[in-house]
């Protein structure tokens, strides 16, 4: 099974932070600094359940302690690709490649980012450094001219959906830079 490891930049102090957790662990992402001064790593934990691959969003402290589940495991979905809000209180993630979902970490309340599902696949949500936008890749506007997966942004309240790229090359994994 795939595990998540951390180490110093020089390669020293390597250790697995998801050693004892069942299933495969992927798409790790670092939290902003937490109130206790430490950091957490959010990730997707996938395993077979009822003959289907299922996944939930979890997080763990950078020393491997205090594992917490964040997405609703009773739904039986494939939750993947987490991205932390800049204040560290929420995570946006992809549910079964079809929907972006936001979860508040304090009470595990979750809601779809946009009302109604977009047609096509949604991937790679990335919260802007100032928290005002979430970028993501979507194929919901595939058209006869060959536009496939393009980059969009939306506000954290689900309003203001806006397409940002307009060429035939498929896009993936938007990232923000702090200026």
């Amino acid at each position: 099974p795939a595990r998540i490891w951390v180490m110093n930049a020089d390669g020293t102090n390597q250790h697995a932070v998801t050693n004892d957790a069942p299933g495969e662990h992927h798409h790790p992402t670092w939290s902003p600094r937490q109130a206790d001064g430490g950091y957490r790593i959010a990730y997707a934990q996938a395993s077979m359940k009822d003959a289907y691959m299922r996944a939930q969003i979890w997080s763990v402290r950078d020393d491997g302690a205090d594992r917490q589940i964040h997405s609703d495991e009773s739904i039986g979905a494939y939750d993947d690709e987490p991205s932390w809000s800049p204040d560290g209180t929420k995570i946006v993630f992809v549910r079964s490649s079809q929907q972006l979902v936001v979860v508040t970490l304090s009470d595990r309340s979750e809601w779809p980012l946009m009302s109604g599902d977009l047609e096509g696949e949604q991937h790679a949500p990335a919260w802007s450094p100032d928290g005002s936008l979430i970028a993501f890749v979507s194929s919901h506007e595939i058209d006869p001219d060959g536009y496939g997966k393009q980059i969009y942004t939306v506000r954290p309240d689900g309003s203001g959906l806006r397409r940002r790229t307009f060429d035939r090359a498929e896009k993936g994994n938007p990232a923000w830079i702090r200026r």
Side-chain angles (χ1 to χ4, degrees), residues 40-136:
R40 297 189 69 81
I41 301 168
Y43 60 95
Q45 179 176 314
S47 59
M48 290 295 290
K49 292 182 185 162
D50 303 322
Y52 293 98
M53 243 353 219
R54 307 286 189 211
Q56 286 77 46
I57 303 301
W58 289 76
S59 74
V60 64
R61 282 194 344 215
D62 60 356
D63 64 1
D66 191 31
R67 246 175 38 94
Q68 298 176 10
I69 189 168
H70 299 298
S71 63
D72 187 349
E73 65 269 45
S74 70
I75 292 174
Y78 197 93
D79 296 340
D80 200 5
E81 302 183 56
S83 175
W84 292 88
S85 64
D87 65 4
T89 63
K90 296 177 192 74
I91 294 175
V92 62
F93 61 91
V94 177
R95 175 159 283 154
S96 299
S97 297
Q98 299 294 315
Q99 184 180 56
L100 299 177
V101 175
V102 178
V103 61
T104 300
L105 303 182
S106 61
D107 63 4
R108 285 186 58 199
S109 61
E110 60 178 57
W111 63 92
L113 179 59
M114 293 168 280
S115 60
D117 292 340
L118 297 178
E119 294 293 322
E121 294 184 4
Q122 320 309 314
H123 289 288
W127 223 298
S128 67
D130 68 0
S132 67
L133 292 172
I134 297 170
F136 65 100

Side-chain angles (χ1 to χ4, degrees), residues 1-33:
R3 299 288 185 240
I4 296 172
W5 289 67
V6 297
M7 67 180 175
N8 295 336
D10 65 3
T12 61
N13 195 27
Q14 298 178 20
H15 61 280
V17 295
T18 59
N19 258 350
D20 299 327
E24 296 180 5
H25 310 128
H26 48 89
H27 290 109
T29 182
W30 287 95
S31 73
R33 185 178 301 273

